[in-house]
Amino acid sequence: MISTVQVIGIGTGDPGLVTYEAAAALREVDVFLVADKGDAKADLVEARRALCEHFIGDSHPYRFIEVPDPKRGPDAERDSTAYGAGVRDWHAARVAAYAAIIDQLPEGSTVGFLVWGDPAFYDSTLRIVDALRETSGPFEVRVHPGISAPQLLAARHAIPLNRIGTSIHVTTGRRLVQEYSPDLGDVVVMLDGHLACRDLVDQHPDLTIYWGAYLGGPAEVLRSGRLAEVIDELVALRAELREQHGWVMDTYLLRP
Ligand SMILES: C[S@@+](CC[C@H](N)C(=O)[O-])C[C@H]1O[C@@H](n2cnc3c(N)ncnc32)[C@H](O)[C@@H]1O
């Protein structure tokens, strides 16, 4: 039975964005389990591998096991109930894939999960680790925070995420249009494959958008401006970037 699971927030791929605590945790791991999401996201697996080489080097022997990610259905075509059920099935398949590996590891091993950004933001690792406790536990769990995309977005634009004494609402592209109201305060949008904020332009043309893609990486791109004025450029730019890199991860802030 394994002894420990380290859940390590690694920022967005740049070693400069890894905390001292996270770097120390990397050096305690015997086996890293990394989801392999196919060719389009191979860059992200490589970024994780490079971080391990950078921080661990020869100081501690470790293995890096890529676990093929179970196929996930077409989220965009699902309503919220079907989406929730689809995600739950996908988690169950992921847990089974990880458990099959963990159960074969030497007694007392430390397993590491490298979480993009921070484990607290739209990441299923901690839910998966909880489920693994049931199938392959008991083991100790240690969580190390990382720099998340919203934090980097704010830093790169040199802005705070909130205005004085007001709220910050964090949501997904899927939920944005149905729940948007200026009363929410500043809204951070993640997991938006289609720039859903386009559908807010008619009613809220004066929103300011602060947008960033590939934050923290060599391909980082930033744009900001009045939503009604920049949205067409952003839609075209996002499509171009996706074409060029095979994937795009972007986050934005909408400020009334
Ligand atoms: C599954 S969530 C993971 C979030 C991550 N745990 C974090 O703390 O930022 C993926 C979403 O995070 C945002 N994201 C992650 N990496 C990013 C990056 N380098 N640049 C911009 N947005 C990013 C995007 O909104 C993307 O759709």
Side-chain angles (χ1 to χ4, degrees):
M1 193 169 297
I2 64 168
S3 70
T4 311
V5 168
Q6 301 268 21
V7 178
I8 306 171
I10 55 166
T12 55
D14 177 351
L17 295 172
V18 174
T19 68
Y20 194 83
E21 176 182 304
L26 288 172
R27 290 190 279 269
E28 292 176 6
V29 171
D30 302 308
V31 177
F32 292 97
L33 298 184
V34 181
D36 172 3
K37 300 187 179 203
D39 287 350
K41 298 247 172 129
D43 293 2
L44 301 181
V45 175
E46 266 325 294
R48 287 172 165 91
R49 207 185 272 283
L51 278 183
C52 289
E53 276 163 24
H54 179 91
F55 284 107
I56 308 170
D58 297 330
S59 66
H60 177 81
Y62 65 93
R63 281 198 289 151
F64 202 84
I65 302 182
E66 288 178 33
V67 186
D69 217 28
K71 286 264 171 289
R72 185 154 156 187
D75 291 342
E77 291 153 31
R78 292 171 161 161
D79 64 19
S80 319
T81 315
Y83 176 77
V87 171
R88 276 191 297 278
D89 290 349
W90 177 63
H91 281 177
R94 271 181 135 187
V95 170
Y98 290 134
I101 295 169
I102 285 178
D103 293 344
Q104 303 299 318
L105 293 177
E107 184 74 23
S109 299
T110 292
V111 167
F113 288 95
L114 302 172
V115 175
W116 198 253
D118 183 86
F121 283 92
Y122 295 113
D123 187 88
S124 48
T125 307
L126 290 173
R127 272 184 292 273
I128 287 170
V129 168
D130 266 351
L132 283 170
R133 268 198 177 127
E134 306 282 313
T135 58
S136 310
F139 48 73
E140 185 187 352
V141 178
R142 291 198 221 137
V143 181
H144 308 278
I147 306 286
S148 66
Q151 286 171 287
L152 261 177
L153 179 77
R156 294 302 195 243
H157 283 285
I159 53 165
L161 288 178
N162 66 297
R163 283 157 312 139
I164 298 172
T166 62
S167 310
I168 307 167
H169 182 79
V170 182
T171 192
T172 63
R174 170 177 273 273
R175 301 181 61 93
L176 176 68
V177 175
Q178 81 191 50
E179 66 191 18
Y180 184 75
S181 149
D183 296 340
L184 291 172
D186 290 282
V187 176
V188 174
V189 186
M190 302 174 76
L191 287 165
D192 184 354
H194 307 279
L195 285 169
C197 57
R198 250 189 311 191
D199 295 336
L200 298 178
V201 172
D202 287 347
Q203 278 195 300
H204 306 281
D206 290 328
L207 281 171
T208 299
I209 183 169
Y210 294 90
W211 177 87
Y214 313 102
L215 291 162
E220 184 173 281
V221 194
L222 302 174
R223 291 287 185 278
S224 62
R226 187 173 165 262
L227 185 62
E229 282 162 21
V230 297
I231 188 64
D232 290 343
E233 185 211 334
L234 276 185
V235 169
L237 174 62
R238 194 179 192 284
E240 234 173 75
L241 291 169
R242 175 186 276 284
E243 182 71 25
Q244 191 183 334
H245 298 274
W247 58 277
V248 55
M249 281 210 281
D250 55 344
T251 298
Y252 55 91
L253 175 75
L254 296 173
R255 172 156 292 171

